[in-house]
Every structure is written in C-alpha cells, then in structure tokens.
Amino acid sequence: MSTLDSDEQRPQTGTRRFISGVVEGFYGRPWTMEQRTELFKREQKWGLNTYLYAPKDDYKHRMYWRDLYSDEEAEQLVKLISAAKQHDVDFIYAISPGLDITFSNPKEVVALKRKLDQVREFGCRSFSLLFDDIETEMCPADKQAFSSFAHAQVAITNDVYQHLGKPETFLFCPTDYCAAFCTPSVSQSSYLHTVGEKLLPGIDILWTGPKVVSNKISVESIEEVSSVLKRAPVIWDNIHANDYDPQRLFIGPYKDRPTELIPKLRGVLTNPNCEFYPNFVAIHTLGTWCKATADGAPRDVEMGDEEQDPCYSPQKALTLALTDWLQEFLSTDQPGGPCHPPTHFKKESSDEEPMQTDMGESSYVPGPEENPLYTAEPLTLDDLKLLSDLFYLPYEHGPTARTMLQELDWLKNHSQAASAETEKTAEWCSRAQEFDDMCDAVVQMFNRLSNAPNRNILYDLYNYICDIKSGVGLARAYVKTLGGQGRPSAHVMNDDPEPWDFRGGLSGEFQRMLPGHGNRDLFRHPPMTAVYCIRPYCPEDKMEVQRIFRQMQRVEGKVPLMTQSPLICDSLSAGEIPPSPLCALILEDEIGVCGYALALIDAKPAASKIERVISDSVFKEFPSLVTIQVLPRVTDPSPTKRMIDWLMTSICSSGSRGAFCELRQSDRRMLNFYSNLDTFKPIQVAGLPEDIITMGTRL
Ligand code: GDL
C-alpha cells in the first residue's frame, strides 16, 4: 500500500488540507514520549497529518492547566514537537481549563495565555481549547458576566485565538460535543447556535457524532450539525476508545463512517485505545479510509465493496492492517528498548540470519540425551484475524466471535433434548466438536502470541488475551459437561473455586446482582423493580404534588426558585390553578406518592396569568398544556410514559388538537424523557426566555 505524502494528494476542504490523524484524548495513563514519536512515524507512513495532544490525566493539560512546564518538561515537549515536524505531522497542543476556570476573571485569561505562549515558545503553532466533560453550571461571577455558558466559552476562545495570532489550525471542543448531549436537539440547541454564530470562522469545532461513542456517523447528521455550527466539524472519533471499560479493547477496522463524509468534514481524529501498541489497526485503517476519494475511485488500492461504500471496505482495510501488523509482531527492533527473540524461536524468515547471532557464546545447545529446547510456532495472519474478531468494535463482535456466541447458545438450548437420551444427536456432537475447535484456536493463538518476539505489543495485549482465554475456557468446559464428557465439578461448578472462576471483581459481582444481568436491553429498558400504581388525582393530593414540585425544582435547577423564569405549568403544580377534569394523575410506589401528571385543556388563561405571550397560531395547534414530574427514585421510565399516554387520551377526548409542555434547559431529565417519546417535538415559540424549551404533540 502506498502512502500519501504531499498536501495535494490529500482530500481538500476548500483550500485547507483535510485534518487526519490521532487525538491522545483518553482518560488514564498517557503515552510515553517514545510512543508518541513512534506514532508520528506511523502517521507519516500511513498518510495521516495531525496529532492532537490532549491526554486527560496529564497534570498540566487539565487539572493543573495554569501551571507552566518545568525546564525538564519543556525539553521533552520541544523534542516531541520537533519530532512531529520531522515527520510532517501537525502537533496541536490542547488545554482543558474547564474544570475550574472563572471565565470572567481577567487573571484567568492571562494565565491561559501565559501557558499557551510558553508552548508556543517550544515551537508549537497549532492549538486547541477543550471544554468536554465539565460541569455545565456557571459560577455566580460568570453568570453575571455572560448570558450563557456558550457565550463564556466562545469569548475566551476567540480572545486566545486572536492573542496567538489566529493560528492556521485552532480547534475548539464544545461541552455539547455530540447530538445526544444537545437539548432538545442539534438543530434547536441554543448552546450550539451560539457557538456556531459567535466563534470566529477560523476556529474549527470538534464533534464526536450522534453519541460519545458513535456506532455510525451519517452524512445527514453531519449536514445538520454543520448548518448549526456554520462550518464543517472535525470528528473526534471515539470508535476505538476503551477508557470506559477495563475489559474491552478494540482491534476492529475503522467502520460505519461512509467515505462520502470526507468532503463534508474538516477532518477526522481518532481517540483510540489507551494502550499504544494495539492501536495499529485503529490508525492504519483510518489512514486507508482517509485515502478514499469522494469521486468514487479509490486512490491507490482496490477497496470497494460493491454493495456498500464504493471507496472503502472495512474488511479489506483490516486485512491490509493485519498483514502489516504481523511484521511488527515478528520484529525485534522496537522502540522502548531492543528485545531479541529467544534463540529457539522459529522465525518464519529465518534463513538470512543464523538464530544464534544475538546470544553469543552463552547459547545452550542440548546434548543428544537431554531435553530438546522449547519451540514455538510463529504467529500467523489467521491468529491476528481471530484476535481482531474477539476484540472488534464497541457495538459489534467480529465474525468468529459472533459464531462462537451463536453456537454456544444453540448447544445450550439443545442440550436438554440431547441429554434426555443417552446418546447425543449427531448434529449436537458435531457442533460441539466445532465449538471445541474454535475454542482451541483461541488457546493456540494465545500461545503463539505469547511467544512473539515483539514483547511491547504482547504486554499491552496480555491481560486482554488472558481474560478471553479464560472466558473461552469456561465455555468450553461447560459444553463438555453438557455433552457428558468431564465432571461437572471439574471446571464449571466447583465447590471450592479458584479466583479465576468468579471473574470481574467487585464490579462483576455488582453486575451479576442486577436483574437481567448480561442482557444488553438492561440499559435500554431497565427492568421493573418496583410496583407502581397510577390513580386519579384527588384534592388531598395537593400538598404532596406541591412537595414533589418544590423538591424537583431544587434538584433540577440547582438555583433558587425565585431566580428561574416562571413556566406556565408552575401554577398548576403549585396548586394555584386546578387541573382540568379527568386530567390529573398520581403515581405511587411502596413508599408513597412519587410523581404526578397534570393537564389543562385550555392553557391560554394560565399563560396570561404569568404574562407569557404566545401567538394564537401556536395556541390553535397546541391549545392544551401538560406537566409531569417524578422523583429521582423512579428510575423506570415506563410508569411516566403510561401517565402521559393516559393524559393524552383524556385531552384528545375533550376535542383538543394538541398539547405542549414547557421545560427548563437545566431539566435534562425531563428533556430526555420527552425527547425519547416519539410524539413530542420541539416547537418554536417567539419571545420565550432563553432558558425555556417548548415541546408539543398533535393529537
Ligand atoms: C469522552 C471524552 C474522551 C474519552 C471518551 C471515551 C470526548 C470529547 N471526551 O467523552 O476524553 O476518552 O469520551 O470515554 O470524547
């Protein structure tokens, strides 16, 4: 595979080159300077041009962002920046001041500029300000100075950008950096609109896609966010990030981002696995993806899959990457200190050099009656394919892993019938044997990997492959037990187990105690753990409703009631206006009243009571008002959904054409709730206070 090494060959956005490469932006142990230098070499080789320095747990990048670098650190950074230059990689220095900066304090702005000026002196010319993963509530001083959090961030970013002389590359990471974080939606997010309108045009914006870890990124989603941001975003891609789960590693190909995106983006930076060496595939396949051109013709390799992306095939990109990676596994000349293969390792291409070269005179040759030396099979491309299949992508196992799960499931479900007879069916036996062979392939792959000469890669992979080997071992023993081979107590159901028989530590125990453990749907539809009762509201409930209303105001806004803009529904919840007949419900659990849902068939009088001006056309479409609140202990969304359904039925039977609700921006919980209902959509109401969102549904 050839590399792209001149600017003209790279995909262009306007006149500027497409930003492509790696962001070291994960939590946990940062990479070493040697690994970063190695990364620059690889990026250059694979046609990638950028490195964004943003290690979350580097002291002076985030937690102690104000502190200047010591002489020793400065020396290292100077070296690193110049290494990036040598390899034609743009080194972008990012800083994350958002944990504790007071935007309105000029001393803070001075501290930020001083720090970036220092890095500028190290030779760095590209910069980035990151505001991801921070508290969204401003301190009182900032609230006085800025009309919103977005205004505060934009003001400081524009100021720093100008101070640094408008660098050619300057990136901004918003706090709402993916669609899932936008309230109520990307197109209606006042935060993103402010950023789009006020951030100077030379500043580029990072975006992770629909979610923090996006399964797919569609062209439409990028068109939507670009129109709000008023520029094409740079994707900060978390597809290979593994800092959120210590048992997962991602060695699958860059995938589910159509290459049609390339002309619509300013760039793509991947934030990969915390472990440096297993990122070979993540970065190599991104390099292949970036080479695909939008005009339909692959740049230099036949990549197209007829039915899918005509310019990029993840499977082929993976094979290219694994083929190159295999060479690295077999290589002994690695950064981090040379390591030599044991003399007895049978190297595949061993004819050129005698195996004894490095070991000098001390090498041991067993005599005729002595133990022969241990020999190991060399690692193969199939081993790496299997490894990648077992540690594929966050939302997808590789083909072999999928087959193994399906087969285990089948063997389990058909074992009852099989064990009723003395002999298993021929099909069961042959499928059990195939399953056993697949398990054996994992063990063999583990053995060959642990003998590979490149110890740097092995050590990064070691815990993961041990873990999968044990998991597969348990499954294998279980199938043997089902088939009547081996004693059940031998491996699976031992009374006095070894620690590896109850895996996952305390966290694993917590998980196993939760209902529906192991079921993915647990996260989408939490199981009912409490019994709820929904009943009509009666006048005696008034005090309880007021109590929940006040409690939720405190939880949701974290600001005193008096300082919040009033909502039309407040007077309904506070008991100042009675709900319409048949339009009030109470939710109870075993502790007592834990929620309510109230509605007004005609919301106009309540609106005029708080002097809210809503146009007749809005009222015509949505004459009714609903409000709903549940205490945080109600984690299951279904009773709340049921209350809304009942209210809507009552409202509809009164002849109303539609209903709306008003929500505060800070009430993320209810915003999420309404956004997840398919029925309620954001509606535009002119002249509404900035912190209020209206959503409506037609009946
Ligand atoms: C995030 C963090 C990132 C982290 C990733 C995966 C961004 C912009 N920020 O939200 O530092 O590595 O999730 O856990 O993605």
Side-chain angles (χ1 to χ4, degrees):
M1 192 170 61
S2 74
T3 57
L4 300 179
D5 46 16
S6 75
D7 280 5
E8 308 85 70
Q9 283 178 290
R10 293 187 175 98
Q12 302 283 314
T13 303
T15 53
R16 300 183 297 173
R17 74 174 176 178
F18 185 82
I19 294 173
S20 64
V22 175
V23 44
E24 184 182 336
F26 46 81
Y27 291 86
R29 182 197 290 271
W31 291 332
T32 64
M33 293 297 177
E34 289 74 25
Q35 289 171 333
R36 290 169 181 151
T37 310
E38 175 59 28
L39 172 69
F40 304 152
K41 279 192 205 152
R42 293 175 186 202
E43 288 203 59
Q44 186 177 37
K45 199 155 145 203
W46 301 336
L48 299 166
N49 57 39
T50 301
Y51 164 75
L52 175 57
Y53 174 90
K56 279 273 184 306
D57 286 300
D58 176 292
Y59 245 31
K60 295 188 180 176
H61 160 74
R62 195 169 64 118
M63 203 98 73
Y64 294 92
W65 60 269
R66 296 175 190 83
D67 292 5
L68 294 178
Y69 289 106
S70 67
D71 288 348
E72 203 181 311
E73 291 162 338
E75 196 184 320
Q76 292 206 324
L77 276 171
V78 167
K79 257 202 210 153
L80 192 68
I81 292 163
S82 102
K85 235 174 247 157
Q86 259 177 34
H87 293 287
D88 226 357
V89 169
D90 185 19
F91 184 102
I92 309 178
Y93 177 84
I95 193 160
S96 291
L99 283 181
D100 60 2
I101 190 168
T102 298
F103 291 89
S104 52
N105 185 343
K107 283 189 190 155
E108 294 278 76
V109 184
V110 167
L112 189 56
K113 289 178 180 168
R114 190 195 308 131
K115 177 73 168 280
L116 295 177
D117 283 341
Q118 188 195 22
V119 179
R120 207 169 178 283
E121 279 167 26
F122 301 160
C124 181
R125 292 292 172 267
S126 303
F127 296 90
S128 176
L129 282 191
L130 307 182
F131 295 104
D132 57 324
D133 295 2
I134 54 171
E135 181 54 60
T136 52
E137 189 70 22
M138 283 191 290
C139 64
D142 286 345
K143 269 189 193 157
Q144 283 217 323
F146 298 104
S147 51
S148 75
F149 201 33
H151 284 91
Q153 293 178 0
V154 164
I156 207 162
T157 307
N158 286 344
D159 186 358
V160 166
Y161 170 67
Q162 280 163 326
H163 171 81
L164 292 168
K166 299 189 177 175
E168 164 122 16
T169 305
F170 193 97
L171 308 180
F172 166 85
C173 183
T175 305
D176 292 354
Y177 52 82
C178 61
F181 286 2
C182 293
T183 44
S185 63
V186 169
S187 61
Q188 306 266 310
S189 156
S190 60
Y191 173 90
L192 281 194
H193 274 286
T194 305
V195 169
E197 277 153 27
K198 304 269 189 277
L199 202 67
L200 290 171
I203 302 175
D204 287 308
I205 302 175
L206 292 156
W207 182 251
T208 65
K211 300 199 286 176
V212 176
V213 180
S214 294
N215 187 3
K216 294 177 190 288
I217 301 181
S218 71
V219 171
E220 298 71 40
S221 74
I222 292 305
E223 285 170 346
E224 183 187 32
V225 72
S226 302
S227 88
V228 178
L229 297 178
K230 305 205 183 309
R231 69 208 81 194
V234 175
I235 296 295
W236 166 313
D237 210 324
N238 286 321
I239 181 175
H240 286 98
N242 71 341
D243 54 1
Y244 51 84
D245 185 343
Q247 277 187 308
R248 306 191 72 189
L249 181 76
F250 302 110
I251 315 183
Y254 193 67
K255 193 170 177 285
D256 293 322
R257 283 84 174 118
T259 53
E260 269 177 85
L261 280 173
I262 294 173
K264 309 214 173 235
L265 291 173
R266 175 77 184 93
V268 178
L269 297 173
T270 184
N271 176 37
N273 296 288
C274 303
E275 295 81 0
F276 176 77
Y277 293 101
N279 283 321
F280 196 98
V281 170
I283 304 170
H284 193 293
T285 55
L286 174 65
T288 306
W289 185 87
C290 287
K291 280 177 211 164
T293 57
D295 56 12
R299 181 70 75 183
D300 59 352
V301 267
E302 277 295 319
M303 295 302 299
D305 256 8
E306 301 69 32
E307 283 180 15
Q308 300 181 349
D309 196 323
C311 305
Y312 176 79
S313 150
Q315 293 76 18
K316 289 178 187 166
L318 177 64
T319 306
L320 286 178
L322 293 178
T323 308
D324 285 356
W325 201 22
L326 183 63
Q327 293 316 305
E328 190 179 275
F329 268 99
L330 301 178
S331 143
T332 55
D333 177 25
Q334 284 306 306
C339 54
H340 302 286
T343 47
H344 46 273
F345 183 83
K346 281 201 228 148
K347 210 174 166 187
E348 234 175 354
S349 52
S350 57
D351 1 317
E352 289 162 21
E353 274 181 35
M355 292 308 279
Q356 314 287 325
T357 321
D358 294 324
M359 300 305 283
E361 286 160 20
S362 62
S363 62
Y364 170 71
V365 181
E369 299 289 300
E370 292 176 334
N371 269 334
L373 286 176
Y374 174 75
T375 57
E377 293 291 319
L379 192 68
T380 65
L381 186 58
D382 281 343
D383 286 330
L384 292 188
K385 280 191 180 142
L386 176 58
L387 180 71
S388 162
D389 274 3
L390 302 177
F391 296 97
Y392 204 65
L393 289 172
Y395 298 98
E396 188 180 350
H397 296 303
T400 311
R402 280 205 305 270
T403 308
M404 289 180 81
L405 289 174
Q406 277 161 9
E407 285 302 290
L408 178 59
D409 196 48
W410 187 91
L411 290 165
K412 214 172 89 178
N413 292 334
H414 293 78
S415 69
Q416 228 48 4
S419 61
E421 304 152 21
T422 33
E423 289 296 311
K424 306 288 167 286
T425 64
E427 184 184 10
W428 198 94
C429 290
S430 97
R431 287 175 78 159
Q433 184 56 51
E434 279 167 31
F435 183 76
D436 195 68
D437 292 345
M438 286 190 275
C439 294
D440 192 54
V442 175
V443 176
Q444 297 312 324
M445 179 265 289
F446 173 86
N447 291 341
R448 288 189 284 263
L449 262 177
S450 28
N451 284 299
N454 188 326
R455 310 314 275 173
N456 285 330
I457 318 181
L458 176 72
Y459 298 151
D460 270 359
L461 292 171
Y462 205 85
N463 286 340
Y464 298 100
I465 49 179
C466 273
D467 193 41
I468 193 66
K469 193 182 129 197
S470 298
V472 163
L474 286 177
R476 194 180 192 187
Y478 176 63
V479 171
K480 284 235 160 78
T481 310
L482 291 179
Q485 299 165 291
R487 287 168 298 125
S489 61
H491 212 111
V492 195
M493 292 163 242
N494 199 327
D495 287 343
D496 184 18
E498 291 286 358
W500 50 84
D501 287 331
F502 42 93
R503 312 182 58 71
L506 180 61
S507 166
E509 270 185 75
F510 280 133
Q511 282 182 36
R512 284 190 288 272
M513 281 175 72
L514 301 179
H517 155 67
N519 180 356
R520 238 181 229 254
D521 283 352
L522 177 66
F523 303 101
R524 256 177 275 152
H525 311 287
M528 294 278 278
T529 50
V531 177
Y532 295 99
C533 163
I534 298 172
R535 60 167 176 80
Y537 167 94
C538 56
E540 294 79 68
D541 292 318
K542 192 169 161 181
M543 299 276 280
E544 279 299 288
V545 167
Q546 286 174 351
R547 187 183 58 79
I548 294 176
F549 169 58
R550 267 188 245 110
Q551 181 177 342
M552 293 313 294
Q553 292 251 321
R554 282 194 299 270
V555 173
E556 139 223 326
K558 291 187 208 132
V559 276
L561 233 179
M562 310 296 289
T563 60
Q564 296 182 11
S565 322
L567 301 180
I568 307 174
C569 58
D570 287 352
S571 48
L572 191 57
S573 302
E576 292 155 17
I577 301 179
S580 300
L582 302 176
C583 285
L585 297 165
I586 291 293
L587 180 69
E588 279 178 334
D589 61 9
E590 62 264 43
I591 304 172
V593 176
C594 55
Y596 63 85
L598 308 171
L600 290 171
I601 300 292
D602 177 12
K604 235 183 196 170
S608 52
K609 195 161 179 249
I610 61 160
E611 291 170 8
R612 171 73 39 79
V613 186
I614 296 185
S615 70
D616 279 348
S617 62
V618 172
F619 268 135
K620 211 166 162 197
E621 256 187 290
F622 306 100
S624 308
L625 171 82
V626 291
T627 183
I628 193 157
Q629 267 311 345
V630 288
L631 292 176
R633 71 170 185 256
V634 184
T635 52
D636 179 354
S638 14
T640 322
K641 280 187 190 148
R642 214 156 294 156
M643 285 203 291
I644 275 281
D645 286 348
W646 287 10
L647 270 192
M648 289 304 152
T649 313
S650 296
I651 295 172
C652 189
S653 57
S654 77
S656 170
R657 296 179 58 183
F660 70 98
C661 63
E662 283 187 339
L663 300 164
R664 294 196 175 86
Q665 287 264 21
S666 55
D667 190 358
R668 291 211 171 211
R669 188 160 169 259
M670 287 321 287
L671 277 166
N672 277 343
F673 171 76
Y674 281 105
S675 306
N676 286 336
L677 295 175
D678 280 339
T679 42
F680 277 79
K681 299 278 178 260
I683 50 178
Q684 291 285 13
V685 177
L688 213 56
E690 219 187 306
D691 58 332
I692 295 179
I693 288 167
T694 306
M695 296 178 86
T697 180
R698 292 194 182 84
L699 294 167

